[in-house]
Amino acid sequence: MVVCKYYQQGNCRFGNNCRFEHPGGRTQGQGYGGGGSRGVTFRDSFGPNQNPYRWIANDRQSAGGGQSKPTKTTISDMTAQEILTLISNDMDEWMKSHMWPFSCYAFLKDTSCLPGFEDTSFEELRFEAYQAKSAGTYEVYQQKVTQLSIESSNKRQELQRPNLQMKQKLIQEIENQKKRIGSGSFGSHNDSTQFTSGIFGPSPIASTQSVFGGKLVSANQTLFGKPQTANSFGSATTSQAPFGSTSTPNVGSSLFGSPNTGSSSFGSTGSGFGAGTAGGAFGSPSAFTGKHVFGSTLSNNPLAQISSGASSAASSVQGQAQSQPQGQAQPQGQGQQSSLYTPLGELTSDERQQFEAQKFTLGTIPTRPPPRELC
Amino acid sequence: MSLFGGTTSSFGNTSLFGSSATATVNQNPMNDFEVGSPPDDSVSSLAFSPGTLQQTYLVAGSWDNNVRCWEVQQSGQTVPKAQQTHTGPVLDVAWSDDGTKVFTASCDKVAKMWDLGSNQSIPVAQHDAPIRTVHWIKAPNYSCIMTGSWDKTLKFWDTRSPNPMLAIQLPERCYCADVLYPMAVVGTASRGLIIYQLDNQPKEFKKIESPLKYQHRCTRIFTDKKTGGPVGFALGSIEGRVAIHYVNPTNPKDNFTFKCHRSNGPTSGVQDIFAVNDIAFHPQHGTLATVGSDGRFSFWDKDARTKLKTSDPLPQPITCCTFNSTGNIFAYASSYDWSKGHEGFDPQKMKPHIFLRSCFEELKPSSKKS
């Protein structure tokens, strides 16, 4: 049956005698998807089973079942606080809805994954189990899974109710992403991180290598990081972060801090601090042209080839951006300094100059926070 | 009650459960044809033979390390034909375009080519980690298989040679892929999404920002109604959501996501969210089917943005689905997908079932305009 458009608008003069369908009062006057071109009501055309799922064009968030909230969709539209709320709602929903816990997460589509959440697919976990069964190490496997579940759950709780420190880190991450996106690196930032891991070369997965590698962390709930090189789930490729988020081999999931102290891995990220801006490295966004699927060839796609210099520069900037929270966490491991400030000794001379100057010079603004001394 | 006919099917029920007194749970609430001698462990993938063959065959890969082949007859009866084995669980199966070979990808890091005529199976591809996807590519100037693996590579193999024709580095482990010449799409861990063009030789076309916020689970390419060529893909995630993405949308709003496979929870509370395990497009109508961990399948019309049907829930998750070449049959497998981990698995109670549904009418596009 065709739905009566007047009824949808709220006034059909035929009422019950109308030859068109009046779905159960739902569409009347609610602006349910009719409010703007943004929303598209997804109608269920099976009569008795009127259960419309809303298809929202470019629906990018599900802020706590936000059917009627105006959906902001891009990172540049939203303030950091709004994004924090969004993250909190997402975590809440994730926990309550019994979703698969071992998944990566991004707060908006078109953004990079938040560091700290590693992907493990159903099949990987299952294969792990089957292998453990035949190797006789099934109890070990079970314990690992339990441990990972706990950790995953803790992480989500931390994001759902972030303490001040976590908020700072999140805001930092959000700012980084905004910058990357703002600099016109459409699609590139996500790629460059992933490419970084590619540049390190494929890590052949040893046959006995378990998804969960590394050693189990004690139940220290406050920091997400692991003392080992394995990232939080010790995902199969332990030598590199799935995001390639830090170019150091030591992969603490940087958002959640890494208790791995010792020599300053921060200083050795290999990121080019001289080039403070993220802009130039990523190249122009790919252009859709032509009518065919593939249109004309992309004019400037620096990531088309692995070996292009652009991607390594991109990755180094990426490494810099991502290693920053790690650097913040690291002094914390030493116990004394607050995690928000970059230690004075670690600044490059450029940065120091910038901080000491009256004003920042555009193009060389440091991306790390100033040391306490220079605030 | 022909499975292949255009008329709506009546209860062509060959379910094994009949009127058993002990079977309290209805494994087949949709009263579909059931495939006899199903695998002993979860079904990871299903594939029908291409239209080039006269008869219809169904191949299923399973976690019991086997690949099985049945002939599906007009009446809906299935006849087990042959079986091959890997040394690890089989994760994906694919037919060659001429219907003479079946390719199987397995956790044993090997992909095999199964010649159905001789019933011989030989290894044709090798990776350093389990192979998650295998697809056959038939281009005017070359033919090969494409394998995607958890070792973060995508490799292309001429089946006559032990070395890959081409190996492409992926940003992360391959989680799902689909091929429809000249386009291929690969979804990886950490929400990676890459499109490849296959004409002349496979090369990366574009990396795409994921339209979804959680782990990618399945993907399927769809075609343009007029030209029949690939224009975009559907992508499913663990978050009960599917994204429809055109590679070159005329209007950015053409790309959208929709929620699916969620429990009808209270609107104020939070629903249960289930993963989308597989997506399949109807070869004639262009409408799509999704199957999820909630044990339901749903049919959708993406152009009218309408849901056509949702099934009753099956007692187990539905792990994979596919259409036959003419679009008369919708096959789906009810088996455990590991969505609740090892704790959710009871091998005694959760035996796999494969069902065949006569679906041509149900998948007709909605007549309503959005």
Side-chain angles (χ1 to χ4, degrees), chain A residues 274-358:
Chain A
T277 53
F282 293 110
S284 61
S286 47
F288 285 112
T289 55
K291 302 231 170 16
H292 306 291
V293 172
F294 297 119
S296 59
T297 54
L298 300 173
S299 55
N300 186 3
N301 188 356
L303 299 168
Q305 303 300 329
I306 294 176
S307 54
S308 81
S311 66
S312 47
S315 67
S316 66
V317 177
Q318 187 62 32
Q320 157 201 327
Q322 288 290 4
S323 61
Q324 186 174 349
Q326 187 181 5
Q328 289 173 353
Q330 188 205 335
Q332 180 179 9
Q334 282 151 2
Q336 299 300 10
Q337 220 166 338
S338 157
S339 59
L340 292 180
Y341 305 106
T342 320
L344 182 60
E346 288 194 352
L347 290 182
T348 66
S349 55
D350 282 274
E351 291 181 304
R352 192 175 183 142
Q353 214 176 356
Q354 285 296 312
F355 286 130
E356 290 178 350
Q358 289 284 17

Side-chain angles (χ1 to χ4, degrees), chain A residues 67-246:
Chain A
Q67 294 259 4
S68 47
K69 285 188 207 151
T71 48
K72 289 201 186 170
T73 52
T74 56
I75 192 172
S76 35
D77 283 346
M78 298 175 71
T79 66
Q81 189 51 51
E82 287 172 320
I83 295 181
L84 284 185
T85 313
L86 167 61
I87 293 177
S88 175
N89 289 337
D90 278 349
M91 294 297 126
D92 194 42
E93 187 182 52
W94 193 346
M95 293 189 288
K96 290 190 183 148
S97 62
H98 308 119
M99 267 169 62
W100 180 249
F102 309 119
S103 163
C104 58
Y105 169 72
F107 49 84
L108 288 173
K109 75 178 244 192
D110 296 353
T111 61
S112 303
C113 300
L114 275 191
F117 288 97
E118 313 293 344
D119 252 347
T120 304
S121 64
F122 299 6
E123 289 75 27
E124 286 171 299
L125 205 61
R126 184 174 195 161
F127 186 48
E128 233 352 79
Y130 280 37
Q131 285 181 307
K133 204 101 202 228
S134 54
T137 55
Y138 197 61
E139 276 86 29
V140 180
Y141 162 81
Q142 283 175 306
Q143 281 161 13
K144 280 181 182 168
V145 173
T146 313
Q147 182 69 33
L148 287 169
S149 274
I150 294 172
E151 281 167 15
S152 159
S153 175
N154 289 334
K155 280 188 208 179
R156 280 177 274 158
Q157 267 161 9
E158 276 205 42
L159 287 191
Q160 199 221 348
R161 270 175 222 278
N163 55 23
L164 186 62
Q165 183 189 331
M166 180 56 72
K167 277 191 189 168
Q168 299 284 3
K169 288 190 201 173
L170 281 176
I171 290 176
Q172 192 63 54
E173 177 62 28
I174 294 169
E175 293 304 318
N176 288 341
Q177 297 223 17
K178 283 195 182 202
K179 244 181 264 161
R180 267 177 260 142
I181 289 178
S183 65
S185 57
F186 174 68
S188 315
H189 60 274
N190 209 13
D191 315 330
S192 59
T193 59
Q194 292 157 346
F195 251 80
T196 313
S197 58
I199 288 173
F200 290 157
S203 148
I205 297 181
S207 55
T208 55
Q209 185 160 359
S210 97
V211 169
F212 309 118
K215 74 181 194 200
L216 298 178
V217 173
S218 61
N220 174 12
Q221 317 297 12
T222 52
L223 290 178
F224 279 38
K226 293 241 175 197
Q228 270 295 7
T229 54
N231 51 27
S232 38
F233 287 156
S235 74
T237 59
T238 53
S239 62
Q240 56 235 28
F243 313 113
S245 56
T246 58

Side-chain angles (χ1 to χ4, degrees), chain A residues 1-3 21 37-38 40-46 49 51 53-62 65-67 86 90-94 96-100 102-113 119-127 129-130 138 141-142 145-146 185-191 194-195 197-198 201-207 235-237 240-243 286 288-296 298 301 303-304 306, chain B residues 41-42 63 88-89 91 107-109 128-130 132 150-153 169-173 175 182-184 188-192 195-199 204-217 229-232 238-239 241 244 246-249 252-253 255-264 270-275 277 288 293 300-310 336-343 345 366 368-370:
Chain A
M1 275 279 285
V2 180
V3 173
E21 187 182 13
S37 52
R38 182 197 320 121
V40 176
T41 307
F42 184 85
R43 293 180 300 275
D44 186 342
S45 56
F46 253 59
N49 196 11
N51 194 359
Y53 283 88
R54 186 173 193 192
W55 289 26
I56 301 176
N58 299 325
D59 180 346
R60 299 178 208 217
Q61 66 189 68
S62 54
Q67 294 259 4
L86 167 61
D90 278 349
M91 294 297 126
D92 194 42
E93 187 182 52
W94 193 346
K96 290 190 183 148
S97 62
H98 308 119
M99 267 169 62
W100 180 249
F102 309 119
S103 163
C104 58
Y105 169 72
F107 49 84
L108 288 173
K109 75 178 244 192
D110 296 353
T111 61
S112 303
C113 300
D119 252 347
T120 304
S121 64
F122 299 6
E123 289 75 27
E124 286 171 299
L125 205 61
R126 184 174 195 161
F127 186 48
Y130 280 37
Y138 197 61
Y141 162 81
Q142 283 175 306
V145 173
T146 313
S185 57
F186 174 68
S188 315
H189 60 274
N190 209 13
D191 315 330
Q194 292 157 346
F195 251 80
S197 58
S203 148
I205 297 181
S207 55
S235 74
T237 59
Q240 56 235 28
F243 313 113
S286 47
F288 285 112
T289 55
K291 302 231 170 16
H292 306 291
V293 172
F294 297 119
S296 59
L298 300 173
N301 188 356
L303 299 168
I306 294 176
Chain B
D41 201 351
S42 298
W63 280 81
L91 294 183
C107 289
D108 62 6
K109 309 178 195 166
D128 299 321
R132 180 69 184 88
W150 293 343
D151 68 358
K152 305 187 183 179
T153 62
Q169 189 67 25
L170 292 173
E172 250 286 8
R173 295 152 282 167
Y175 274 179
M183 174 170 149
T188 70
S190 301
R191 298 165 59 242
I195 301 188
Y196 298 87
Q197 58 184 99
L198 305 172
D199 51 331
E204 179 179 313
F205 173 69
K206 181 150 65 131
K207 280 197 164 65
I208 297 192
E209 288 289 351
S210 172
L212 299 171
K213 301 195 328 185
Y214 294 86
Q215 183 182 119
H216 293 166
R217 184 116 181 89
V231 285
I238 55 147
E239 189 230 347
R241 196 182 289 267
I244 300 286
Y246 287 82
V247 178
N248 270 338
K253 292 218 177 82
N255 292 343
F256 63 96
T257 69
F258 64 95
K259 297 187 207 175
C260 51
H261 300 289
R262 298 183 174 209
S263 61
N264 292 340
V270 179
Q271 315 160 297
D272 270 353
I273 296 180
F274 297 90
N277 284 330
L288 71 144
S293 297
W300 315 80
D301 180 343
K302 68 175 194 337
D303 302 309
R305 305 202 180 185
T306 317
K307 178 156 62 142
L308 301 170
K309 181 185 180 67
T310 295
Y336 187 55
D337 56 1
W338 217 254
S339 49
K340 303 269 178 259
H342 60 273
E343 284 145 358
F345 190 33
S366 164
K368 273 187 240 179
K369 291 296 172 197
S370 61

